[in-house]
Amino acid sequence: MSVPSTPLVTDLYQLTMMQGYHFSEMKDHEAVFDLFFRKNPFNGGFTVFLGLSDVVEFIRTFHFSEDDLAYLDSLKMFSTKFLDYLKDFRFTGDLHAVAEGTVVFPHESLIRVKGALDQCQILETALLNIVNFQSLIATKAARICLQAGEDKVVDFGLRRAQGVDGGLTASKAAYIGGCSGTSNMQAGKIYKIPVKGTHAHSWVTAFRDELTAFRRFAEIFPQNTVLLVDTYDTLGSGLPNAIKVGLEMKERGEKLTAIRLDSGDLAYLSIRAREMLDEAGLTDTKIIASNELDEYVIHELNMQGARIDLYGVGTKLVTANDDPSLSGVYKMCCIRAPGKEWEMRIKISERMDKSNLPGIKQIYRLNNHGREMIGDIIELEGFDLDFSRGIKGIHPFLEYKCKYYDDISDAKPLLSQYVKGGEVIKVPPDLKEVREYVKAELRRLNSSHKRLLNPHIYKVSLGPKLADVTHKLRTEYMTT
């Protein structure tokens, strides 16, 4: 499962910091942390946020087992008093997040954690592990499906995934991102994802000849006969034999569901296959293609007029081949000593885009009267904004750059509360509902942000109060 089963899904320094807080003047401080990312993956124009349901479940079940504590004790790094403290340790804070499946953009707080400093700290690694990978794969799947067309991609990636757990999580994320099914049987069982598949080349080579192999498969699986036609010679034997079997099935009142192409010039072969199938009267037999596919290859196949009905995408989907990680980070934005007011915190870097935004914030998604997303405004929570006459937003890092937003139909707050005082008060929806939500989100995103090359940058701006506070803090920290 993709939910960590132990708090030890963390880095050592989280625990050393926890012990440090526990035995210092920071023991009773509260903090607020933001989880966000710095750039869209794949040089793309958007990211699909995923992992919230697992984050909420991780927090709900968070506790150190006796085995966990015994292991920590064996390291001889942690005091008995601290380990005793961990025995009854639970998260008792609050968690706000954007909805699972939301299309999001750099520097927006996807998850906001508020609570005791040590409780917020220990969550960092696990939350990043969950959100970074699942959001990455969901985004890759969405990009592929945008090129292939709705419900025209199946996840074939388990055998090339980064381990069994990686394969399972990738299948779930790929389905939410738009894939219509998976070859991964475990994902089908656990997540109720439709399972789909054909047969391997070994099925063909196991029989004395290709035609016999096809006939046997059709006899055993007459309701879902998909024949792999490139074991020997796609056009010379594979397709002719598949057509022969298809016609035999037709005489029996059955149907050859599809043929699959797994090598060669897929555009040319699919065009010829469609011609041969149609000439034989098998017009309802589909063509499936696989073999190192991704959004760029599928785009080119479409440009070349390929006649492909369904794509099996594996390696480059589940490994996020061209961008192996999402740049997610988890940064403190506020801290409060007992009985004191909140103090805003900011990280300053030589690269301005590696700094974070201070304060407890809300994100407002601006939609025009055509229900299309036109930009996001990040502002301090509790600071009222009047969107009725348009609004000026300030660039998060280049303070001299402003954007005026008008034609605003509504401004929707994206962050809502899922955990309050350690108790789950809102449960993210199931996979199918999130999958449909992703589709709806992408439909509302302008096509200029979805193109493969040089997508138009979706504008994320700061509201006036946050821009002013951020400027003052940057100036203060950069001069000290």
Side-chain angles (χ1 to χ4, degrees):
M1 295 288 286
S2 49
V3 181
S5 60
T6 167
L8 296 187
V9 178
T10 192
D11 295 303
L12 173 62
Y13 76 175
Q14 310 290 9
L15 285 157
T16 57
M17 283 190 287
M18 278 187 73
Q19 180 166 267
Y21 294 145
H22 191 67
F23 292 111
S24 74
E25 65 276 15
M26 307 304 293
K27 181 175 182 294
D28 296 316
H29 280 57
E30 293 179 278
V32 180
F33 283 75
D34 289 327
L35 189 154
F36 63 96
F37 63 94
R38 294 188 173 115
K39 64 181 287 290
N40 288 316
F42 316 114
N43 294 313
F46 66 90
T47 298
V48 175
F49 169 58
L50 193 59
L52 177 60
S53 61
D54 291 342
V55 166
V56 170
E57 180 63 13
F58 175 62
I59 287 174
R60 188 187 70 81
T61 60
F62 189 99
H63 74 284
F64 288 89
S65 69
E66 291 184 6
D67 285 346
D68 293 337
L69 295 171
Y71 169 68
L72 293 177
D73 188 37
S74 74
L75 298 178
K76 308 302 181 186
M77 296 177 63
F78 303 102
S79 71
T80 300
K81 184 177 179 180
F82 178 64
L83 294 176
D84 286 343
Y85 168 67
L86 294 183
K87 288 180 181 178
D88 298 317
F89 186 88
R90 299 291 188 275
F91 180 76
T92 59
D94 301 338
L95 183 141
H96 289 70
V98 301
E100 189 99 274
T102 300
V103 170
V104 292
F105 305 94
H107 307 292
E108 297 182 331
S109 177
L110 310 181
I111 294 176
R112 184 175 80 212
V113 181
K114 177 185 175 185
L117 175 57
D118 60 350
Q119 293 181 22
C120 296
Q121 189 72 68
I122 191 62
L123 296 179
E124 175 179 3
T125 301
L127 266 58
L128 288 171
N129 178 274
I130 293 168
V131 171
N132 280 343
F133 182 64
Q134 294 189 36
S135 299
L136 182 77
I137 301 303
T139 304
K140 186 67 171 179
R143 287 167 56 83
I144 291 169
C145 293
L146 283 170
Q147 297 303 314
E150 190 166 316
D151 294 335
K152 292 184 66 174
V153 179
V154 175
D155 153 41
F156 276 7
L158 176 59
R159 64 185 58 198
R160 301 282 176 81
Q162 316 293 21
V164 175
D165 290 342
L168 179 62
T169 303
S171 292
K172 180 183 78 169
Y175 178 67
I176 291 174
C179 290
S180 61
T182 181
S183 65
N184 185 339
M185 294 298 292
Q186 186 185 24
K189 176 185 176 183
I190 293 174
Y191 299 121
K192 312 303 180 188
I193 300 171
V195 290
K196 300 183 180 182
T198 57
H199 62 73
H201 294 103
S202 55
W203 173 268
V204 177
T205 58
F207 290 85
R208 67 178 183 271
D209 60 67
E210 187 176 54
L211 181 59
T212 301
F214 286 175
R215 281 174 168 156
R216 293 295 176 267
F217 196 82
E219 290 167 4
I220 299 167
F221 301 103
Q223 302 304 315
N224 185 35
T225 304
V226 181
L227 302 177
L228 180 59
V229 297
D230 72 334
T231 302
Y232 303 119
D233 182 344
T234 300
L235 299 180
S237 67
L239 266 165
N241 284 329
I243 288 170
K244 185 175 294 186
V245 170
L247 293 174
E248 291 170 356
M249 295 181 73
K250 195 173 183 179
E251 289 180 2
R252 298 195 296 267
E254 300 165 349
K255 184 179 76 171
L256 175 60
T257 303
I259 59 99
R260 178 161 74 99
L261 305 169
D262 191 48
S263 61
D265 185 336
L266 296 179
Y268 171 74
L269 291 174
S270 68
I271 292 169
R272 285 290 296 123
R274 184 73 274 154
E275 291 172 348
M276 293 169 68
L277 289 166
D278 289 352
E279 288 170 2
L282 301 175
T283 56
D284 56 353
T285 296
K286 305 297 184 183
I287 298 173
I288 301 172
S290 52
N291 187 32
E292 298 298 319
L293 300 175
D294 63 10
E295 63 267 46
Y296 299 100
V297 174
I298 293 172
H299 176 79
E300 286 301 314
L301 288 169
N302 288 336
M303 295 295 290
Q304 295 170 36
R307 302 293 301 278
I308 297 169
D309 301 295
L310 189 70
Y311 295 91
V313 185
T315 305
K316 294 184 178 181
L317 167 59
V318 301
T319 64
N321 179 258
D322 46 342
D323 203 344
S325 65
L326 183 69
S327 57
V329 292
Y330 185 84
K331 300 297 179 185
M332 183 190 296
C333 60
C334 276
I335 194 164
R336 178 166 66 180
K340 302 292 185 180
E341 297 294 322
W342 285 105
E343 296 179 15
M344 297 190 191
R345 289 290 191 263
I346 190 170
K347 174 185 178 290
I348 297 295
S349 172
E350 291 183 2
R351 281 181 51 190
M352 187 63 73
D353 64 346
K354 293 199 72 174
S355 66
N356 68 302
L357 299 172
I360 301 174
K361 302 170 289 293
Q362 179 58 270
I363 308 162
Y364 297 93
R365 173 139 300 162
L366 310 183
N367 301 300
N368 64 20
H369 287 82
R371 299 300 304 151
E372 187 175 75
M373 306 175 194
I374 57 174
D376 292 353
I377 295 284
I378 308 174
E379 184 54 282
L380 293 176
E381 191 167 73
F383 184 80
D384 292 333
L385 294 172
D386 182 5
F387 297 100
S388 62
R389 298 183 180 180
I391 190 169
K392 183 177 79 170
I394 297 91
H395 192 284
F397 305 107
L398 304 177
E399 297 173 357
Y400 60 87
K401 294 184 70 174
C402 299
K403 165 73 175 175
Y404 186 78
Y405 300 90
D406 56 6
D407 189 34
I408 299 172
S409 170
D410 63 90
K412 176 186 176 184
L414 294 188
L415 289 163
S416 62
Q417 191 164 13
Y418 287 83
V419 178
K420 183 177 182 180
E423 298 296 324
V424 176
I425 63 170
K426 184 179 179 180
V427 178
D430 64 24
L431 265 65
K432 289 185 178 180
E433 189 174 338
V434 176
R435 183 172 181 267
E436 292 305 311
Y437 179 63
V438 171
K439 290 181 182 180
E441 283 279 281
L442 290 170
R443 283 194 291 267
R444 295 198 307 109
L445 184 65
N446 188 275
S447 60
S448 64
H449 305 300
K450 295 182 284 191
R451 61 189 181 219
L452 293 181
L453 298 178
N454 302 315
H456 188 61
I457 296 173
Y458 183 89
K459 300 299 188 296
V460 176
S461 306
L462 307 187
K465 183 64 174 178
L466 179 58
D468 180 59
V469 168
T470 303
H471 171 76
K472 289 177 179 177
L473 283 172
R474 284 172 180 164
T475 303
E476 176 186 341
Y477 279 85
M478 291 175 73
T479 56
T480 56

